[in-house]
mmCIF file of all heavy atoms in Angstrom:
data_model
loop_
_atom_site.group_PDB
_atom_site.id
_atom_site.type_symbol
_atom_site.label_atom_id
_atom_site.label_comp_id
_atom_site.label_asym_id
_atom_site.label_seq_id
_atom_site.Cartn_x
_atom_site.Cartn_y
_atom_site.Cartn_z
ATOM 1 N N SER L 1 -0.080 25.435 11.390
ATOM 2 C CA SER L 1 -0.945 25.291 10.230
ATOM 3 C C SER L 1 -0.761 23.935 9.543
ATOM 4 O O SER L 1 -1.709 23.303 9.075
ATOM 5 C CB SER L 1 -0.618 26.422 9.114
ATOM 6 O OG SER L 1 0.713 26.200 8.685
ATOM 7 N N VAL L 2 0.488 23.426 9.546
ATOM 8 C CA VAL L 2 0.766 22.087 8.939
ATOM 9 C C VAL L 2 -0.005 21.016 9.854
ATOM 10 O O VAL L 2 -0.632 20.065 9.219
ATOM 11 C CB VAL L 2 2.317 21.764 8.931
ATOM 12 C CG1 VAL L 2 2.534 20.346 8.588
ATOM 13 C CG2 VAL L 2 2.976 22.675 7.841
ATOM 14 N N ASN L 3 0.022 21.182 11.089
ATOM 15 C CA ASN L 3 -0.699 20.161 11.915
ATOM 16 C C ASN L 3 -2.149 20.232 11.649
ATOM 17 O O ASN L 3 -2.773 19.192 11.677
ATOM 18 C CB ASN L 3 -0.223 20.373 13.418
ATOM 19 C CG ASN L 3 -0.906 19.384 14.387
ATOM 20 O OD1 ASN L 3 -0.633 18.221 14.133
ATOM 21 N ND2 ASN L 3 -1.576 19.886 15.331
ATOM 22 N N ALA L 4 -2.744 21.424 11.502
ATOM 23 C CA ALA L 4 -4.120 21.500 11.348
ATOM 24 C C ALA L 4 -4.654 20.883 9.918
ATOM 25 O O ALA L 4 -5.618 20.112 9.872
ATOM 26 C CB ALA L 4 -4.538 23.097 11.250
ATOM 27 N N ASP L 5 -3.749 21.065 8.922
ATOM 28 C CA ASP L 5 -4.141 20.377 7.645
ATOM 29 C C ASP L 5 -4.102 18.836 7.699
ATOM 30 O O ASP L 5 -4.791 18.254 7.114
ATOM 31 C CB ASP L 5 -3.131 20.880 6.630
ATOM 32 C CG ASP L 5 -3.507 22.298 6.159
ATOM 33 O OD1 ASP L 5 -4.563 22.773 6.547
ATOM 34 O OD2 ASP L 5 -2.587 22.976 5.562
ATOM 35 N N SER L 6 -3.097 18.346 8.492
ATOM 36 C CA SER L 6 -2.970 16.993 8.614
ATOM 37 C C SER L 6 -4.121 16.248 9.330
ATOM 38 O O SER L 6 -4.407 15.179 9.114
ATOM 39 C CB SER L 6 -1.623 16.512 9.245
ATOM 40 O OG SER L 6 -1.682 17.023 10.617
ATOM 41 N N MET L 7 -4.806 17.156 10.145
ATOM 42 C CA MET L 7 -6.047 16.560 10.913
ATOM 43 C C MET L 7 -7.186 16.381 9.966
ATOM 44 O O MET L 7 -8.155 15.754 10.313
ATOM 45 C CB MET L 7 -6.345 17.478 11.978
ATOM 46 C CG MET L 7 -5.243 17.584 13.223
ATOM 47 S SD MET L 7 -5.191 15.980 14.074
ATOM 48 C CE MET L 7 -6.799 16.011 14.826
ATOM 49 N N ASN L 8 -7.187 16.986 8.738
ATOM 50 C CA ASN L 8 -8.234 17.006 7.940
ATOM 51 C C ASN L 8 -8.725 15.551 7.453
ATOM 52 O O ASN L 8 -9.799 15.340 7.176
ATOM 53 C CB ASN L 8 -8.026 17.859 6.623
ATOM 54 C CG ASN L 8 -9.253 18.189 5.918
ATOM 55 O OD1 ASN L 8 -10.232 18.842 6.439
ATOM 56 N ND2 ASN L 8 -9.458 17.686 4.714
ATOM 57 N N GLN L 9 -7.759 14.685 7.298
ATOM 58 C CA GLN L 9 -8.128 13.235 6.768
ATOM 59 C C GLN L 9 -7.807 12.163 7.907
ATOM 60 O O GLN L 9 -7.443 11.108 7.546
ATOM 61 C CB GLN L 9 -7.353 13.010 5.525
ATOM 62 C CG GLN L 9 -5.867 13.257 5.626
ATOM 63 C CD GLN L 9 -5.448 14.613 5.270
ATOM 64 O OE1 GLN L 9 -6.263 15.404 4.997
ATOM 65 N NE2 GLN L 9 -4.123 14.899 5.175
ATOM 66 N N LYS L 10 -8.040 12.469 9.053
ATOM 67 C CA LYS L 10 -7.894 11.523 10.103
ATOM 68 C C LYS L 10 -9.020 10.517 10.296
ATOM 69 O O LYS L 10 -8.833 9.367 10.585
ATOM 70 C CB LYS L 10 -7.751 12.296 11.466
ATOM 71 C CG LYS L 10 -6.433 12.911 11.622
ATOM 72 C CD LYS L 10 -5.328 11.980 11.779
ATOM 73 C CE LYS L 10 -3.917 12.730 12.061
ATOM 74 N NZ LYS L 10 -2.783 11.716 12.171
ATOM 75 N N GLN L 11 -10.279 10.998 10.041
ATOM 76 C CA GLN L 11 -11.501 10.125 10.200
ATOM 77 C C GLN L 11 -12.215 9.863 8.891
ATOM 78 O O GLN L 11 -12.370 10.863 8.053
ATOM 79 C CB GLN L 11 -12.483 10.648 11.260
ATOM 80 C CG GLN L 11 -13.603 9.758 11.532
ATOM 81 C CD GLN L 11 -14.428 10.326 12.714
ATOM 82 O OE1 GLN L 11 -14.083 11.354 13.282
ATOM 83 N NE2 GLN L 11 -15.471 9.596 12.965
ATOM 84 N N TYR L 12 -12.587 8.699 8.578
ATOM 85 C CA TYR L 12 -13.210 8.299 7.360
ATOM 86 C C TYR L 12 -14.572 7.608 7.623
ATOM 87 O O TYR L 12 -15.501 7.699 6.694
ATOM 88 C CB TYR L 12 -12.374 7.337 6.599
ATOM 89 C CG TYR L 12 -11.110 7.931 5.954
ATOM 90 C CD1 TYR L 12 -9.966 7.790 6.782
ATOM 91 C CD2 TYR L 12 -10.985 8.770 4.877
ATOM 92 C CE1 TYR L 12 -8.657 8.347 6.376
ATOM 93 C CE2 TYR L 12 -9.785 9.221 4.466
ATOM 94 C CZ TYR L 12 -8.621 9.040 5.261
ATOM 95 O OH TYR L 12 -7.458 9.537 4.854
ATOM 96 N N ILE L 13 -14.812 7.019 8.726
ATOM 97 C CA ILE L 13 -16.110 6.332 9.109
ATOM 98 C C ILE L 13 -16.763 6.977 10.240
ATOM 99 O O ILE L 13 -16.205 7.048 11.294
ATOM 100 C CB ILE L 13 -15.771 4.831 9.471
ATOM 101 C CG1 ILE L 13 -14.720 4.260 8.544
ATOM 102 C CG2 ILE L 13 -17.027 4.111 9.669
ATOM 103 C CD1 ILE L 13 -15.287 4.213 7.147
ATOM 104 N N TYR L 14 -17.948 7.511 9.994
ATOM 105 C CA TYR L 14 -18.768 8.180 10.840
ATOM 106 C C TYR L 14 -20.003 7.230 11.153
ATOM 107 O O TYR L 14 -21.146 7.413 10.468
ATOM 108 C CB TYR L 14 -19.286 9.593 10.421
ATOM 109 C CG TYR L 14 -18.141 10.519 10.324
ATOM 110 C CD1 TYR L 14 -17.330 10.516 9.228
ATOM 111 C CD2 TYR L 14 -17.854 11.529 11.236
ATOM 112 C CE1 TYR L 14 -16.300 11.389 9.138
ATOM 113 C CE2 TYR L 14 -16.853 12.485 11.135
ATOM 114 C CZ TYR L 14 -16.049 12.380 10.115
ATOM 115 O OH TYR L 14 -14.931 13.214 9.987
ATOM 116 N N ASP L 15 -19.909 6.393 12.117
ATOM 117 C CA ASP L 15 -20.934 5.348 12.343
ATOM 118 C C ASP L 15 -21.947 5.837 13.487
ATOM 119 O O ASP L 15 -21.891 5.360 14.601
ATOM 120 C CB ASP L 15 -20.341 4.035 12.739
ATOM 121 C CG ASP L 15 -21.377 2.992 12.871
ATOM 122 O OD1 ASP L 15 -22.430 3.131 12.230
ATOM 123 O OD2 ASP L 15 -21.129 1.941 13.513
ATOM 124 N N TYR L 16 -22.715 6.929 13.045
ATOM 125 C CA TYR L 16 -23.680 7.492 14.095
ATOM 126 C C TYR L 16 -24.697 6.487 14.466
ATOM 127 O O TYR L 16 -25.264 6.576 15.519
ATOM 128 C CB TYR L 16 -24.302 8.815 13.500
ATOM 129 C CG TYR L 16 -23.300 9.870 13.231
ATOM 130 C CD1 TYR L 16 -23.193 10.578 11.999
ATOM 131 C CD2 TYR L 16 -22.292 10.282 14.161
ATOM 132 C CE1 TYR L 16 -22.377 11.594 11.782
ATOM 133 C CE2 TYR L 16 -21.365 11.271 13.867
ATOM 134 C CZ TYR L 16 -21.462 11.972 12.728
ATOM 135 O OH TYR L 16 -20.473 12.900 12.445
ATOM 136 N N ALA L 17 -25.139 5.570 13.604
ATOM 137 C CA ALA L 17 -26.117 4.628 13.798
ATOM 138 C C ALA L 17 -25.736 3.373 14.572
ATOM 139 O O ALA L 17 -26.470 2.515 14.964
ATOM 140 C CB ALA L 17 -26.785 4.096 12.413
ATOM 141 N N GLU L 18 -24.433 3.437 14.827
ATOM 142 C CA GLU L 18 -23.827 2.212 15.618
ATOM 143 C C GLU L 18 -24.020 0.850 15.005
ATOM 144 O O GLU L 18 -24.491 -0.023 15.656
ATOM 145 C CB GLU L 18 -24.237 2.380 17.038
ATOM 146 C CG GLU L 18 -23.843 3.627 17.744
ATOM 147 C CD GLU L 18 -24.152 3.644 19.217
ATOM 148 O OE1 GLU L 18 -25.006 2.756 19.623
ATOM 149 O OE2 GLU L 18 -23.827 4.576 19.968
ATOM 150 N N LEU L 19 -23.720 0.729 13.743
ATOM 151 C CA LEU L 19 -24.027 -0.506 13.121
ATOM 152 C C LEU L 19 -22.813 -1.335 13.099
ATOM 153 O O LEU L 19 -22.904 -2.637 12.772
ATOM 154 C CB LEU L 19 -24.325 -0.171 11.568
ATOM 155 C CG LEU L 19 -25.531 0.793 11.341
ATOM 156 C CD1 LEU L 19 -25.765 0.912 9.769
ATOM 157 C CD2 LEU L 19 -26.839 0.045 11.933
ATOM 158 N N LEU L 20 -21.670 -0.808 13.417
ATOM 159 C CA LEU L 20 -20.370 -1.608 13.236
ATOM 160 C C LEU L 20 -19.834 -1.670 14.647
ATOM 161 O O LEU L 20 -20.005 -0.934 15.547
ATOM 162 C CB LEU L 20 -19.367 -0.904 12.393
ATOM 163 C CG LEU L 20 -19.844 -0.529 11.051
ATOM 164 C CD1 LEU L 20 -18.899 0.437 10.321
ATOM 165 C CD2 LEU L 20 -19.979 -1.741 10.112
ATOM 166 N N SER L 21 -18.964 -2.853 14.832
ATOM 167 C CA SER L 21 -18.331 -3.029 16.053
ATOM 168 C C SER L 21 -17.004 -2.167 16.030
ATOM 169 O O SER L 21 -16.621 -1.618 15.009
ATOM 170 C CB SER L 21 -17.851 -4.515 16.225
ATOM 171 O OG SER L 21 -16.905 -4.846 15.205
ATOM 172 N N GLU L 22 -16.303 -2.045 17.120
ATOM 173 C CA GLU L 22 -15.045 -1.234 17.159
ATOM 174 C C GLU L 22 -13.956 -1.846 16.276
ATOM 175 O O GLU L 22 -13.348 -1.109 15.596
ATOM 176 C CB GLU L 22 -14.544 -1.181 18.588
ATOM 177 C CG GLU L 22 -15.373 -0.448 19.560
ATOM 178 C CD GLU L 22 -14.748 -0.190 20.892
ATOM 179 O OE1 GLU L 22 -13.635 -0.672 21.115
ATOM 180 O OE2 GLU L 22 -15.372 0.359 21.855
ATOM 181 N N THR L 23 -13.847 -3.091 16.193
ATOM 182 C CA THR L 23 -12.954 -3.777 15.393
ATOM 183 C C THR L 23 -13.232 -3.405 13.828
ATOM 184 O O THR L 23 -12.355 -3.225 13.023
ATOM 185 C CB THR L 23 -12.889 -5.248 15.534
ATOM 186 O OG1 THR L 23 -12.606 -5.534 16.979
ATOM 187 C CG2 THR L 23 -11.929 -5.971 14.662
ATOM 188 N N GLU L 24 -14.564 -3.597 13.432
ATOM 189 C CA GLU L 24 -14.979 -3.234 12.137
ATOM 190 C C GLU L 24 -14.694 -1.800 11.700
ATOM 191 O O GLU L 24 -14.327 -1.604 10.564
ATOM 192 C CB GLU L 24 -16.363 -3.553 11.905
ATOM 193 C CG GLU L 24 -16.728 -5.079 12.017
ATOM 194 C CD GLU L 24 -18.280 -5.432 11.926
ATOM 195 O OE1 GLU L 24 -19.014 -4.567 12.270
ATOM 196 O OE2 GLU L 24 -18.571 -6.440 11.442
ATOM 197 N N VAL L 25 -14.939 -0.953 12.688
ATOM 198 C CA VAL L 25 -14.632 0.445 12.368
ATOM 199 C C VAL L 25 -13.103 0.705 12.113
ATOM 200 O O VAL L 25 -12.696 1.464 11.174
ATOM 201 C CB VAL L 25 -15.092 1.355 13.519
ATOM 202 C CG1 VAL L 25 -14.621 2.777 13.287
ATOM 203 C CG2 VAL L 25 -16.643 1.401 13.591
ATOM 204 N N GLU L 26 -12.320 -0.058 12.992
ATOM 205 C CA GLU L 26 -10.966 0.152 12.792
ATOM 206 C C GLU L 26 -10.424 -0.465 11.495
ATOM 207 O O GLU L 26 -9.482 0.163 10.792
ATOM 208 C CB GLU L 26 -10.172 -0.596 14.001
ATOM 209 C CG GLU L 26 -10.297 0.187 15.352
ATOM 210 C CD GLU L 26 -9.718 -0.738 16.490
ATOM 211 O OE1 GLU L 26 -9.156 -1.750 16.128
ATOM 212 O OE2 GLU L 26 -9.731 -0.175 17.584
ATOM 213 N N GLU L 27 -10.902 -1.452 11.125
ATOM 214 C CA GLU L 27 -10.525 -2.137 9.749
ATOM 215 C C GLU L 27 -10.965 -1.227 8.649
ATOM 216 O O GLU L 27 -10.203 -1.159 7.766
ATOM 217 C CB GLU L 27 -11.124 -3.561 9.679
ATOM 218 C CG GLU L 27 -10.661 -4.547 10.606
ATOM 219 C CD GLU L 27 -11.227 -5.999 10.498
ATOM 220 O OE1 GLU L 27 -11.802 -6.312 9.316
ATOM 221 O OE2 GLU L 27 -11.091 -6.783 11.250
ATOM 222 N N LEU L 28 -12.071 -0.694 8.725
ATOM 223 C CA LEU L 28 -12.715 0.125 7.545
ATOM 224 C C LEU L 28 -11.785 1.455 7.537
ATOM 225 O O LEU L 28 -11.510 1.983 6.449
ATOM 226 C CB LEU L 28 -14.118 0.480 7.727
ATOM 227 C CG LEU L 28 -15.115 -0.697 7.466
ATOM 228 C CD1 LEU L 28 -16.428 -0.224 7.764
ATOM 229 C CD2 LEU L 28 -14.924 -1.131 6.105
ATOM 230 N N GLU L 29 -11.539 1.989 8.723
ATOM 231 C CA GLU L 29 -10.637 3.164 8.793
ATOM 232 C C GLU L 29 -9.210 2.893 8.218
ATOM 233 O O GLU L 29 -8.795 3.768 7.388
ATOM 234 C CB GLU L 29 -10.413 3.621 10.258
ATOM 235 C CG GLU L 29 -11.678 4.344 10.877
ATOM 236 C CD GLU L 29 -11.794 5.864 10.529
ATOM 237 O OE1 GLU L 29 -11.081 6.278 9.641
ATOM 238 O OE2 GLU L 29 -12.751 6.458 10.998
ATOM 239 N N SER L 30 -8.697 1.780 8.445
ATOM 240 C CA SER L 30 -7.485 1.349 7.860
ATOM 241 C C SER L 30 -7.434 1.237 6.331
ATOM 242 O O SER L 30 -6.602 1.738 5.650
ATOM 243 C CB SER L 30 -6.892 0.186 8.591
ATOM 244 O OG SER L 30 -5.662 -0.272 8.004
ATOM 245 N N LEU L 31 -8.508 0.530 5.932
ATOM 246 C CA LEU L 31 -8.699 0.273 4.517
ATOM 247 C C LEU L 31 -8.924 1.557 3.842
ATOM 248 O O LEU L 31 -8.262 1.878 2.596
ATOM 249 C CB LEU L 31 -9.843 -0.605 4.250
ATOM 250 C CG LEU L 31 -10.385 -0.866 2.830
ATOM 251 C CD1 LEU L 31 -9.196 -1.570 2.051
ATOM 252 C CD2 LEU L 31 -11.641 -1.633 2.838
ATOM 253 N N SER L 32 -9.812 2.471 4.291
ATOM 254 C CA SER L 32 -10.091 3.743 3.617
ATOM 255 C C SER L 32 -8.856 4.536 3.596
ATOM 256 O O SER L 32 -8.556 5.267 2.589
ATOM 257 C CB SER L 32 -11.205 4.441 4.278
ATOM 258 O OG SER L 32 -11.620 5.509 3.529
ATOM 259 N N SER L 33 -8.099 4.594 4.666
ATOM 260 C CA SER L 33 -6.855 5.480 4.752
ATOM 261 C C SER L 33 -5.901 5.017 3.682
ATOM 262 O O SER L 33 -5.219 5.878 3.007
ATOM 263 C CB SER L 33 -6.268 5.390 6.208
ATOM 264 O OG SER L 33 -5.072 6.094 6.188
ATOM 265 N N GLU L 34 -5.653 3.716 3.522
ATOM 266 C CA GLU L 34 -4.777 3.220 2.617
ATOM 267 C C GLU L 34 -5.080 3.520 1.143
ATOM 268 O O GLU L 34 -4.366 4.072 0.364
ATOM 269 C CB GLU L 34 -4.662 1.776 2.695
ATOM 270 C CG GLU L 34 -3.643 1.139 1.775
ATOM 271 C CD GLU L 34 -3.633 -0.443 1.825
ATOM 272 O OE1 GLU L 34 -4.096 -1.003 2.854
ATOM 273 O OE2 GLU L 34 -3.004 -1.105 1.051
#
């Protein structure tokens, strides 16, 4: 159960329209996580 809860905030950027590069997604994920 602890592992399941920790998975809840793993992803912040859902770029379904593919507007961002992989590097940009990683930077935004890191910024949002922090």
Side-chain angles (χ1 to χ4, degrees):
S1 64
V2 170
N3 184 54
D5 287 343
S6 66
M7 291 295 290
N8 194 62
Q9 51 270 3
K10 287 292 184 182
Q11 186 175 358
Y12 298 92
I13 311 301
Y14 293 80
D15 186 25
Y16 298 133
E18 299 181 350
L19 304 178
L20 306 168
S21 66
E22 292 184 5
T23 302
E24 290 174 334
V25 171
E26 291 176 1
E27 290 184 16
L28 289 175
E29 286 281 3
S30 177
L31 173 64
S32 185
S33 177
E34 177 184 353

